[in-house]
Amino acid sequence: MTMNLRTILYLILILLPSIVHSQVKISGKVTDSDNNPIEFATVRVVGTAIGQTTGLNGTYRLNVATKDTIEIAFSCIGFKESKQKLIDAKGEVVLNVRLFKTTKELEEVQVTEYKKQTGGMQAIDTEAIRKTPNLSGNGVEAIITTMAGVSSKNEMSSQYSVRGGSYDENSVYINGIEVYRPQLVSSGQQEGLSIINSSLVKSVEFSTGGFSSEYGDKMSSVLDITYKHPEAFEGNVALSMMGADVAIGHNSGKFSQLHGIRYKRNTSILSSLDEKGEYAPSFFDYQTNLRYSITPKFDISFLGNISMNNYKFTPATRSTSFGTSQNVKEFTVYFDGKEQDRFETYFGALEMNYKPNKSTKYTLLASGFLTNELVSYDISGEYWLDEAGTNDGDNSIGGEIGVGKYLEHARNRFKAGVMTMVLKGNTSLNHHNLNYGLEYRYQNIYDRSSEWELRDSAGYSIPNIDNRIEMIYNLTSKQDLSTNKISWYVQDTYRLMSNIGMFSLNGGIRFSYWDFNKEFLVSPRISVGFVPEFNSNLAMRLAAGLYYQSPFYKEFRETKVDANNNSYIELNRDIKSQRSFQVIFGTDYTFRAMNRPFKITAEAYYKNLSNLIPYELDNLKLVYSGRNESKGYIAGIDFKFFGQFVPGTDSWISFSLMKTQETLNGVKVPRPTDQRYSLGLFFSDYFPKFPKLKFNLRGILSDGFPMTPPQVTRDINYFRAPSYKRVDIGFQYQLLGGDNDRIRHHFWKNFKSIWIGVDVFNLLDIANVNSYYWVTDVNSIQYAVPNYLTGRQFNISLSVAF
């Protein structure tokens, strides 16, 4: 027995080196055609059960028994499979592979597969953003409003509501930096240009809920924009009847620069409104995105923006007909005075990135945002409210309902500065991807406002109190505020392959402290994605989390009334962040029909809301109570059918159902952005006999929001505005460019493409309502006169890319 044991030990010592060296360690990185890492790619040894998926940085590592020939297959949805053979491989082998997107030529049309969504963010086709016809010129927001769960009731504005949330509950990031919108904008006429320049956009990701901890303290949505870095000298010039857009970029290797200039003057659009007069809007925007690679591991970048939006309006007359076919009323006003508004924003962000190795990256970011806003108007009007004609059999009865005058005055100045310092990092460990960050934010507010309205009806001042002249409305504010906020987060994304399918798990937690109200917040968030092995066309996701809406300045402005019936603003230092506990379940199913890819998406959600700060909606202006005094819930379901209805062109249709409820002063009422149903459509087509002629359609049908009279809350009285219905179409013809273009000599070879386009906005000429002007007679009877939006408009455009 002893001899046998010695023999065994001796054999082990002889064979041990060969056993140790009988395995080959294979590692590498999987990238796409642009050298970007591909996550979730499958790497497997052909003929064995050995395999794994790549991490977020595209890396993998395998241990394989030594063979004469080892064949490894690399695959990912949307990419062609690649197989690589290793002949007589030993020791450690580095094998980097590049995958190319799946393409199939079908009558000169490129067909691609669609990526599955296992997390909270969905990618939006940037080509659709450039194609969509939109009145505001804000392509990103225009395409977002066709998404399920998103609504906008004003085609002149870039603001939107997501799943019953307010306009202030949406985070917007550009290159990972949170950006802000002006605070005093109250109508689409004033707003001008969005901060997002569509011509500079490389990629767009959007979440309607269930987003991860790296994103800040907003309750409803995240819009994450990444600007592109040009590969060489390139540019684009777009001209239209509404303005101009120029984008120029250059890359010299280590240094890349991208510049964008936009100018908009939509006088013709505003002339279609009921209020006639002299419109003189002028909107200008300049943005730049610079990057310098100091070393392969260290680079520095700068993002800058200067925006100057001026709105001047001298009203003359207004004539509005409203009511029913059996009871038509006519509201006529003659104006005197003018409005002059100015919105200036300045934004700059310096970012330094350091990548010590392929699995770790650190970012140090410093940004500053300044806004200088002025709203100034003195407008008087004399109005007549008449019965335009009431049908009574064969007779038509008309008459005067009321005559009155009013005088509106405002001198509102608002300045704000937000300075931010951020340190964040990313580390990949096997199948784990860790994200972590620390942020400090300083806010400075300067608010000086004074506005009032005097109204007279039939010789009586309203309100009529003891023969005194009283303002029907007045408000003053004089506030200076400086606050500090610190926040930090950590999250992990883990991917696991199992016998039943692929799991993607994201869990994180976010902390914040604000010195204004001494509030400390803890926000845990988690999401799970699953692609079953039995059907890889199916993807499911479940997300839950506690989200907070950290109040910005106007949310904690509380209106007080003194003994002389004068209203003034006082800041509520006891304000708390609004809270939303969310649960979301969604599923995607991809399939092919007519040899083209399609995808169906469904998502159900529930939000339990507490510590709400009630507000009422007046056009784009949100009037907050300034107090945490209500609670409620939001529940709904969203559907989206996405695919290539016509080969080579992406289209989709979305449908949403939603119910909101808020308990306000003990009364259960819908939230101000309660939208019970909505239907969105984006359709892109081409003409087979004229393949260079493109057609794009954008349509929206959505329920109207609840409305209230001025200084009245929904628990006292509200009614619902008419549904919003709009169809915009655009035709584009490619004069130059395309794969089969033969005009490639002399001067024209410097151009990528030239397009000419014709847009028809509000094709059906529907009179949509976004707010109301309220007429009150001496008997305190109120009449809601609708403020209609734009009518049918035409636009001609020219786009040149080089």
Side-chain angles (χ1 to χ4, degrees):
M1 180 66 68
T2 304
M3 191 64 180
N4 291 338
L5 180 60
R6 287 178 179 176
T7 303
I8 293 172
L9 291 174
Y10 179 73
L11 292 174
I12 290 175
L13 291 174
I14 293 176
L15 296 175
L16 183 59
S18 62
I19 294 173
V20 172
H21 292 90
S22 64
Q23 283 193 331
V24 181
K25 296 181 179 179
I26 306 171
S27 63
K29 186 175 184 179
V30 181
T31 59
D32 60 15
S33 58
D34 296 323
N35 206 32
N36 296 316
I38 300 177
E39 60 174 313
F40 192 42
T42 300
V43 183
R44 60 185 178 84
V45 180
V46 177
T48 72
I50 300 174
Q52 66 168 211
T53 57
T54 58
L56 289 180
N57 58 356
T59 59
Y60 72 94
R61 180 178 293 273
L62 298 174
N63 292 326
V64 185
T66 302
K67 289 184 181 180
D68 292 337
T69 301
I70 301 174
E71 187 176 14
I72 302 178
F74 301 83
S75 62
C76 184
I77 294 175
F79 294 87
K80 290 181 179 179
E81 185 181 50
S82 175
K83 292 184 178 181
Q84 303 291 328
K85 291 183 178 181
L86 299 176
I87 309 299
D88 197 23
K90 296 180 180 179
E92 295 188 2
V93 177
V94 176
L95 180 59
N96 296 323
V97 174
R98 180 171 293 182
L99 298 183
F100 296 90
K101 289 186 177 180
T102 303
T103 59
K104 180 179 179 182
E105 291 300 320
L106 179 62
E107 297 180 359
E108 299 182 354
V109 177
Q110 191 180 63
V111 182
T112 60
E113 299 291 345
Y114 293 126
K115 183 179 179 181
K116 294 180 177 62
Q117 182 185 344
T118 56
M121 304 294 287
Q122 59 177 313
I124 296 177
D125 183 15
T126 55
E127 189 63 26
I129 292 172
R130 283 181 272 271
K131 288 179 179 178
T132 182
N134 69 94
L135 187 73
S136 66
N138 304 319
V140 174
E141 291 89 343
I143 207 71
I144 283 176
T145 56
T146 65
M147 298 292 176
V150 185
S151 66
S152 173
K153 297 292 189 289
N154 193 326
E155 61 271 8
M156 294 182 288
S157 171
S158 62
Q159 300 197 46
Y160 52 89
S161 168
V162 178
R163 290 180 174 174
S166 75
Y167 299 143
D168 294 330
E169 294 179 17
N170 308 309
S171 295
V172 179
Y173 291 81
I174 299 179
N175 290 358
I177 305 158
E178 188 171 8
V179 295
Y180 304 88
R181 303 180 188 272
Q183 297 291 301
L184 295 184
V185 169
S186 59
S187 68
Q189 295 93 307
Q190 300 171 317
E191 186 170 323
L193 293 164
S194 162
I195 193 172
I196 303 170
N197 187 333
S198 301
S199 299
L200 310 184
V201 170
K202 175 186 176 183
S203 64
V204 179
E205 289 191 316
F206 183 61
S207 174
T208 52
F211 43 89
S212 60
S213 300
E214 64 183 302
Y215 297 107
D217 298 322
K218 294 293 178 71
M219 294 196 303
S220 289
S221 76
V222 169
L223 178 61
D224 196 348
I225 305 290
T226 301
Y227 278 176
K228 58 187 175 183
H229 293 285
E231 298 179 358
F233 178 75
E234 59 183 60
N236 182 80
V237 178
L239 305 174
S240 75
M241 297 172 61
M242 299 187 298
D245 183 346
V246 178
I248 297 177
H250 180 257
N251 192 324
S252 61
K254 285 193 171 184
F255 178 67
S256 69
Q257 55 182 319
L258 184 64
H259 307 274
I261 297 176
R262 293 179 294 169
Y263 178 76
K264 180 181 175 183
R265 186 177 175 86
N266 54 351
T267 303
S268 60
I269 296 172
L270 299 178
S271 63
S272 67
L273 300 174
D274 282 347
E275 278 191 344
K276 306 301 180 181
E278 183 181 346
Y279 288 94
S282 176
F283 309 121
F284 171 82
D285 174 89
Y286 168 73
Q287 296 189 28
T288 183
N289 186 28
L290 311 175
R291 183 176 67 174
Y292 181 69
S293 297
I294 301 174
T295 69
K297 294 185 177 182
F298 182 69
D299 67 77
I300 186 170
S301 62
F302 175 77
L303 176 66
N305 170 239
I306 298 174
S307 177
M308 298 181 183
N309 296 332
N310 293 288
Y311 175 73
K312 298 178 182 179
F313 176 46
T314 304
T317 62
R318 169 178 175 170
S319 180
T320 303
S321 298
F322 64 102
T324 65
S325 60
Q326 300 297 317
N327 184 14
V328 181
K329 294 181 175 60
E330 184 76 21
F331 181 65
T332 305
V333 187
Y334 294 94
F335 296 102
D336 187 23
K338 65 179 180 179
E339 178 178 357
Q340 187 168 337
D341 307 329
R342 184 176 71 249
F343 304 93
E344 299 176 351
T345 58
Y346 306 90
F347 174 76
L350 184 65
E351 179 180 319
M352 291 177 286
N353 295 300
Y354 176 61
K355 195 172 184 180
N357 53 63
K358 62 182 181 181
S359 61
T360 302
K361 179 182 177 180
Y362 300 108
T363 299
L364 179 63
L365 188 151
S367 67
F369 169 83
L370 299 174
T371 180
N372 182 14
E373 306 174 27
L374 173 66
V375 173
S376 172
Y377 56 80
D378 288 284
I379 298 176
S380 63
E382 297 185 11
Y383 64 82
W384 285 260
L385 182 62
D386 302 314
E387 294 278 6
T390 302
N391 293 327
D392 183 15
D394 295 330
N395 300 319
S396 180
I397 302 172
E400 184 178 280
I401 298 177
V403 178
K405 300 179 180 180
Y406 68 86
L407 176 62
E408 296 176 332
H409 165 90
R411 292 293 185 275
N412 298 335
R413 179 175 289 278
F414 180 83
K415 297 180 181 180
V418 181
M419 310 301 168
T420 306
M421 289 287 295
V422 178
L423 176 63
K424 57 184 178 180
N426 172 269
T427 301
S428 296
L429 299 171
N430 296 325
H431 290 280
H432 293 270
N433 186 66
L434 297 173
N435 286 278
Y436 38 88
L438 175 66
E439 176 184 296
Y440 168 75
R441 181 175 299 174
Y442 170 77
Q443 297 178 355
N444 181 265
I445 303 293
Y446 172 91
D447 178 19
R448 299 291 186 274
S449 63
S450 174
E451 54 187 42
W452 49 261
E453 180 180 355
L454 178 66
R455 191 174 297 178
D456 167 85
S457 181
Y460 292 91
S461 174
I462 300 175
N464 185 12
I465 304 175
D466 298 330
N467 296 321
R468 293 180 301 171
I469 297 179
E470 294 283 347
M471 304 294 177
I472 192 172
Y473 165 74
N474 70 89
L475 183 67
T476 60
S477 178
K478 185 178 180 181
Q479 301 291 339
D480 295 281
L481 177 67
S482 296
T483 66
N484 299 277
K485 183 179 180 181
I486 187 171
S487 59
W488 62 99
Y489 70 90
V490 61
Q491 69 178 38
D492 180 28
T493 302
Y494 178 70
R495 285 171 172 78
L496 173 66
M497 288 294 297
S498 70
N499 294 330
I500 62 173
M502 189 283 299
F503 291 89
S504 175
L505 174 66
N506 178 279
I509 189 167
R510 187 176 185 91
F511 306 90
S512 65
Y513 175 77
W514 190 29
D515 67 351
F516 176 76
N517 61 354
K518 308 295 189 275
E519 184 179 38
F520 180 75
L521 301 176
V522 180
S523 174
R525 307 171 190 180
I526 188 171
S527 66
V528 180
F530 176 60
V531 179
E533 179 67 25
F534 67 86
N535 190 346
S536 61
N537 294 329
L538 183 65
M540 293 175 282
R541 57 191 174 275
L542 176 66
L546 186 61
Y547 294 82
Y548 290 92
Q549 175 79 13
S550 185
F552 200 67
Y553 175 70
K554 63 182 180 181
E555 296 174 56
F556 53 87
R557 297 167 76 243
E558 189 174 2
T559 303
K560 302 284 188 177
V561 181
D562 63 16
N564 296 319
N565 204 34
N566 294 316
S567 302
Y568 62 95
I569 292 297
E570 188 174 280
L571 302 184
N572 180 9
R573 293 189 174 272
D574 295 323
I575 199 74
K576 299 298 181 184
S577 295
Q578 300 178 89
R579 185 170 58 196
S580 171
F581 176 74
Q582 305 180 12
V583 178
I584 301 168
F585 175 74
T587 181
D588 295 348
Y589 182 72
T590 59
F591 64 97
R592 298 187 67 84
M594 299 175 291
N595 203 26
R596 303 164 201 160
F598 292 89
K599 181 169 73 170
I600 299 176
T601 298
E603 202 165 75
Y605 58 91
Y606 175 80
K607 304 180 185 180
N608 184 277
L609 309 174
S610 58
N611 284 342
L612 290 179
I613 306 172
Y615 66 93
E616 302 301 335
L617 193 61
D618 181 14
N619 201 333
L620 297 179
K621 185 178 181 181
L622 276 62
V623 182
Y624 289 93
S625 71
R627 300 179 298 275
N628 301 105
E629 53 184 0
S630 68
K631 61 181 180 179
Y633 72 86
I634 302 173
I637 186 167
D638 297 333
F639 300 95
K640 184 177 178 182
F641 183 34
F642 182 91
Q644 294 185 355
F645 299 97
V646 174
T649 57
D650 292 340
S651 304
W652 60 81
I653 183 170
S654 63
F655 178 69
S656 301
L657 296 172
M658 182 179 67
K659 176 178 174 58
T660 73
Q661 183 173 288
E662 182 177 355
T663 304
L664 183 60
N665 298 323
V667 180
K668 291 181 171 57
V669 294
R671 300 209 75 200
T673 49
D674 178 70
Q675 181 176 266
R676 295 170 296 187
Y677 63 87
S678 68
L679 179 70
L681 171 67
F682 176 76
F683 182 74
S684 184
D685 196 358
Y686 75 100
F687 297 87
K689 293 185 178 181
F690 304 96
K692 293 190 176 184
L693 181 60
K694 309 291 183 180
F695 165 75
N696 299 287
L697 182 146
R698 173 180 173 268
I700 296 176
L701 168 63
S702 59
D703 192 22
F705 287 158
M707 295 287 182
T708 64
Q711 289 80 55
V712 175
T713 54
R714 279 160 291 131
D715 58 305
I716 298 175
N717 185 26
Y718 76 88
F719 69 99
R720 195 172 289 272
S723 59
Y724 182 85
K725 302 176 285 289
R726 186 177 180 89
V727 176
D728 300 328
I729 63 171
F731 296 89
Q732 294 177 318
Y733 183 77
Q734 190 174 26
L735 298 174
L736 180 70
D739 295 334
N740 298 323
D741 201 313
R742 297 180 180 178
I743 309 177
R744 288 298 181 190
H745 61 280
H746 303 301
F747 175 75
W748 299 108
K749 68 180 181 180
N750 298 310
F751 293 88
K752 291 182 180 179
S753 64
I754 299 178
W755 292 82
I756 187 171
V758 176
D759 298 321
V760 183
F761 303 123
N762 196 359
L763 176 67
L764 305 179
D765 199 23
I766 298 172
N768 288 303
V769 179
N770 74 326
S771 62
Y772 291 85
Y773 181 82
W774 293 84
V775 178
T776 309
D777 63 18
V778 70
N779 297 315
S780 295
I781 298 176
Q782 292 184 315
Y783 300 90
V785 182
N787 295 319
Y788 292 114
L789 288 165
T790 58
R792 184 188 295 119
Q793 293 285 307
F794 296 89
N795 181 50
I796 300 175
S797 63
L798 174 67
S799 177
V800 180
F802 53 88

